[in-house]
Amino acid sequence: VMRVQSALIWNISPLMSSAQPPVMYTTSLWSLPFESGAPVRLLQAQERALLRDLRSAIDKRIENKIASARRFAVRVRNHAKMVDCYLTTYYNHKTLFGNKKQISDQIIEHPQNYHIYEGLS
């Protein structure tokens, strides 16, 4: 059982996005008693570990949602700051008789000339 599990982890690890190998549980979820010769202690320990990790995942579900919402809020805030920087630069450089399209294109194509990124930091 352990050799099969190790070979499976070895083969699917490159497909996973995480650097750590996936956790695999070897357990029997039948309600019948184990047969003689079965690795009872291993199966019971794996079942306990599975139930403990499931309980932990359920407990951390709210924390993960909060962390995800926070990451999204930070991205929204950064985007709003960037839009504000671009608009402020545009309004500071436009003139009454100037070509507004040309000014906006220059700001978009060459933001370093208008110190856009300095305003973001």
Side-chain angles (χ1 to χ4, degrees), residues 30-46:
W30 287 28
S31 59
L32 301 175
F34 293 111
E35 293 182 6
S36 62
V40 176
R41 289 190 321 177
L42 171 69
L43 295 173
Q44 289 174 342
Q46 290 283 301

Side-chain angles (χ1 to χ4, degrees), residues 78-90:
N78 291 342
H79 182 75
K81 283 183 178 181
M82 187 168 54
V83 169
D84 183 56
C85 248
Y86 273 101
L87 286 175
T88 303
T89 303
Y90 172 74

Side-chain angles (χ1 to χ4, degrees), residues 26-69:
T26 307
T27 185
S28 173
L29 300 176
W30 287 28
S31 59
L32 301 175
F34 293 111
E35 293 182 6
S36 62
V40 176
R41 289 190 321 177
L42 171 69
L43 295 173
Q44 289 174 342
Q46 290 283 301
E47 184 177 349
R48 283 192 301 273
L50 171 65
L51 294 174
R52 182 185 64 238
D53 289 347
L54 281 175
R55 190 176 311 115
S56 173
I58 291 169
D59 292 343
K60 292 181 180 179
R61 182 180 61 197
I62 297 297
E63 294 171 14
N64 291 340
K65 284 188 179 196
I66 291 170
S68 177

